[in-house]
Amino acid sequence: MANKIFDAAKENKEDEFYTQLPDIEKELSHYKKHFKGKTVLCNCDDPRISNFFKYFALKFDELGLKRLISTCYKNQDIDLFTQNDCEKAVWLDYYGNPNDPTNTDFSTVEIKELTGNGDFRSHECIELLKQADIVVTNPPFSLFREYVATLIKHGKKFLIIGNQNAITYKEIFHLLKENKIWLGYKAGDMSFRVPDYYQPRKTHYWEDETGQKWRSLGNICWYTNLDIAKRHEDLVLYKTYSKTEYEKYDNYDGININKVSEIPKDYFGAMGVPITFLDKYNPDQFEIIKFRKGDDDKDLSINGKCPYFRILIKRKR
């Protein structure tokens, strides 16, 4: 049943977004201290074409990695965008190249065949997950809840790409509220290579000179539970509170904030802020109270109208 659900998601959802190496390099540059002596797993990545595998293989000695594991779903062909029509998949177990650390040709590294189809929830993939210290990948957006739940269940450190709207999922929000996960450095627009069979769109879509299709998504972010300096930086506040400027909610004792930059420096009650606040969230400066709902368990409202999703927060100091 789990495999049928996964296949349905792959068929009905657009989950094939090929992450660019510069985007990986830019984000990972902030996490280097976490990888020394660690085993990294990229469990949504064909090692022959994945830029996640390529990054860690090229940086294996620089990061001081112990081991690199990469697995893919239902693919044995060297194809950037698989149709997932093969019942088995492949994986790679890499320990670096001590004879030539500068070598960038990984074509001779032995590719192994998985017994099953490479579903991240399968027994053999879970066994590989248990052997890893840190998971880094771009998982299927349509299975983001279940993917994160799997990582949390097995107590894994991770750095993964997701849609910013995942913040609104109750399964994800409670982890953010409890400071079990948080946002990484990059949040906003990111461009991905996509398969030819993806339908063209009027905006955020183009083809390059080679005919390769691209999609630009403006609400992408990295989710992680690796500690980073950004998470401990105070949000600098400039605005001064005014009763006439800041409206109060009908069903909650708090004020509405339309932009993170408008959080007042001299207000210490509850405030409803946009979900983009989490990109600036410092748990030492603010506490998260709840998401979206007022005291009546209905959506927060002002004069009977509901603003877009709000996170209720309060200053700690």
Side-chain angles (χ1 to χ4, degrees), residues 92-107:
L92 186 146
D93 202 5
Y94 186 66
Y95 289 86
N97 187 349
N99 296 323
D100 186 5
T102 61
N103 180 43
T104 59
D105 179 13
F106 307 109
S107 61

Side-chain angles (χ1 to χ4, degrees), residues 69-283:
I69 308 169
S70 184
T71 67
C72 67
Y73 176 71
K74 275 193 172 184
N75 190 34
Q76 290 187 336
D77 300 321
I78 302 178
D79 184 1
L80 178 59
F81 300 112
T82 174
Q83 296 296 311
N84 303 123
D85 52 5
C86 178
E87 288 304 315
K88 290 187 178 182
V90 297
W91 71 291
L92 186 146
D93 202 5
Y94 186 66
Y95 289 86
N97 187 349
N99 296 323
D100 186 5
T102 61
N103 180 43
T104 59
D105 179 13
F106 307 109
S107 61
T108 59
V109 180
E110 181 186 2
I111 299 295
K112 304 177 182 179
E113 186 176 291
L114 289 166
T115 303
N117 60 16
D119 186 327
F120 66 84
R121 300 157 298 188
S122 66
H123 175 73
E124 62 182 336
C125 286
I126 291 296
E127 289 303 308
L128 291 173
L129 175 64
K130 290 177 180 178
Q131 298 172 42
D133 299 299
I134 306 174
V135 179
V136 185
T137 191
N138 180 0
F141 289 170
S142 63
L143 292 171
F144 194 77
R145 294 176 178 88
E146 190 161 1
Y147 186 83
V148 172
T150 301
L151 299 181
I152 295 296
K153 177 182 177 181
H154 293 279
K156 295 302 169 182
K157 295 293 185 181
F158 59 86
L159 176 62
I160 59 176
I161 292 176
N163 193 303
Q164 207 165 10
N165 287 334
I167 291 170
T168 67
Y169 303 163
K170 63 181 181 180
E171 300 91 344
I172 303 300
F173 182 77
H174 89 86
L175 295 172
L176 292 161
K177 182 178 182 296
E178 296 172 8
N179 291 309
K180 293 182 178 179
I181 67 171
W182 42 89
L183 270 58
Y185 280 83
K186 169 68 178 180
D189 186 71
M190 193 179 294
S191 298
F192 301 88
R193 294 165 72 180
V194 296
D196 288 338
Y197 57 84
Y198 275 27
Q199 293 299 313
R201 294 186 175 184
K202 292 182 179 179
T203 60
H204 308 294
Y205 166 89
W206 67 96
E207 292 186 19
D208 62 25
E209 63 278 3
T210 68
Q212 172 63 57
K213 291 184 177 180
W214 292 78
R215 286 269 183 92
S216 174
L217 302 178
N219 57 352
I220 295 299
C221 62
W222 294 78
Y223 293 85
T224 188
N225 56 1
L226 295 167
D227 197 27
I228 48 178
K230 172 189 172 184
R231 189 167 175 258
H232 303 287
E233 297 172 353
D234 274 3
L235 174 63
V236 180
L237 308 174
Y238 300 97
K239 295 277 291 185
T240 301
Y241 172 69
S242 166
K243 287 185 178 181
T244 57
E245 185 176 355
Y246 293 90
E247 296 179 298
K248 299 200 73 173
Y249 294 113
D250 303 329
N251 54 348
Y252 194 83
D253 184 15
I255 60 173
N256 181 62
I257 309 289
N258 289 318
K259 297 179 181 178
V260 174
S261 61
E262 296 175 352
I263 296 175
K265 62 182 179 181
D266 54 349
Y267 189 83
F268 293 88
M271 300 173 281
V273 296
I275 63 174
T276 51
F277 163 80
L278 286 177
D279 186 41
K280 306 293 184 182
Y281 172 51
N282 176 350

